[in-house]
Amino acid sequence: MKTAIITGGGQGIGRVTTQYLLTHGYRVAVWEADTDALAELREAFKASSAQVLFVSCDVSSEVNVKKAAEQTISHFGHIDTLINNAAIMIEKPLDKLTLDEWNRVIGTNLTGAFLCAKHTAPYLAAQKGSIINMCSTRAFQSEPDTFPYSASKGGILALTHSLAVSLGPDIRVNAISPGWIDVSALKKKAKAKPDELRPEDHEQHPAGRVGQADDIARMILFLIAPENNFITGQNFIVDGGMTRKMIYV
């Protein structure tokens, strides 16, 4: 049975992807910094507890990441896939954004992906495994006051092709750039509040709807499938056609 690591797996896209991986025959190590989200996930996946390892991990800390990798190997014996999904966002005007806030976002979103790749690469290479980095359409189109988030996702894009050419052919590395994915109801209980999406929210997408976490989970499953082993160093925009429409129309 294959083993996948997903960082930030306690909420949103990460939580749904965890479910998809389990239902497609994977064992999953969830590395999550939010202790409340991790506890709620543990309760929700109680029936699948033999296939899930719950690890408290701040991916911006090399000590934490190294320990989490060792714990995962000790528990499951091997690692086939790393999904760098953990991310945070701080939206503030430039004159209000502090250096500590900048560093916190870059540390989690970009440095965290680097650290996780660094400390799992030997295990992934032994399995001819793969890495999925969660990028974003914000790497190509910014929204106001998203400085550290947008910068971190631009870095993820570059890190992806750098890892791909450096770690291939033993490890494949790809990125996924979600657009508007509605995860408002998929957060921990204290923050879960479904958005009231309007018809115009859906209509602005050429696909006719706002994205769902399932859309990203299915792309992850496609990219990590062994039969797709010719795909590496690529970024896949999954946004219902919105970015292409805004750039070219």
Side-chain angles (χ1 to χ4, degrees):
M1 185 177 288
K2 292 186 178 296
T3 299
I5 294 168
I6 182 163
T7 66
Q11 303 182 80
I13 290 171
R15 181 179 178 129
V16 169
T17 301
T18 298
Q19 180 65 64
Y20 266 74
L21 290 165
L22 288 170
T23 57
H24 285 79
Y26 281 81
R27 300 177 302 183
V28 184
V30 178
W31 297 4
E32 173 63 63
D34 189 313
T35 54
D36 291 336
L38 193 64
E40 290 177 16
L41 190 74
R42 188 191 301 271
E43 181 63 26
F45 288 92
K46 189 186 301 183
S48 304
S49 59
Q51 281 75 48
V52 190
L53 176 65
F54 303 94
V55 182
S56 180
C57 179
D58 174 2
V59 296
S60 69
S61 162
E62 186 162 23
V63 171
N64 271 212
V65 170
K66 187 173 184 293
K67 182 178 179 181
E70 292 170 349
Q71 187 176 346
T72 301
I73 281 293
S74 176
H75 190 81
F76 286 133
H78 61 270
I79 300 169
D80 300 273
T81 296
L82 165 66
I83 303 165
N84 280 315
N85 171 73
I88 59 174
M89 178 186 284
I90 296 175
E91 298 182 60
K92 282 189 175 182
L94 190 58
D95 60 343
K96 302 295 183 183
L97 184 71
T98 68
L99 179 59
D100 283 345
E101 290 170 330
W102 168 275
N103 286 336
R104 188 156 76 250
V105 175
I106 297 295
T108 297
N109 299 9
L110 180 56
T111 305
F114 155 71
L115 290 173
C116 290
K118 175 184 177 181
H119 288 286
T120 59
Y123 308 119
L124 291 167
Q127 298 297 116
K128 297 289 185 179
S130 65
I131 297 173
I132 302 295
N133 292 326
M134 203 60 66
C135 192
S136 170
T137 53
R138 295 286 73 78
F140 313 100
Q141 295 176 306
S142 291
E143 291 180 324
D145 303 331
T146 62
F147 307 104
Y149 184 84
S150 296
S152 72
K153 294 305 182 177
I156 284 290
L157 185 65
L159 179 64
T160 295
H161 55 69
S162 179
L163 286 171
V165 299
S166 302
L167 301 180
D170 291 331
I171 303 172
R172 295 186 299 115
V173 188
N174 290 292
I176 298 173
S177 289
W180 184 354
I181 307 296
D182 180 20
V183 296
S184 56
L186 298 171
K187 299 178 182 179
K188 62 183 182 180
K189 293 175 182 177
K191 292 188 175 182
K193 184 179 179 181
D195 286 340
E196 295 183 8
L197 297 174
R198 305 163 301 171
E200 51 263 43
D201 295 327
H202 296 289
E203 290 166 1
Q204 66 180 294
H205 295 75
R209 64 174 175 85
V210 172
Q212 300 174 348
D214 303 67
D215 297 315
I216 306 304
R218 285 191 292 267
M219 176 58 83
I220 290 172
L221 287 172
F222 173 81
L223 289 173
I224 66 178
E227 59 267 27
N228 296 322
N229 62 6
F230 195 59
I231 303 173
T232 192
Q234 306 303 309
N235 174 62
F236 295 85
I237 296 176
V238 184
D239 74 339
M242 192 172 180
T243 302
R244 186 174 184 86
K245 176 185 177 186
M246 293 177 71
I247 290 176
Y248 294 108
V249 173

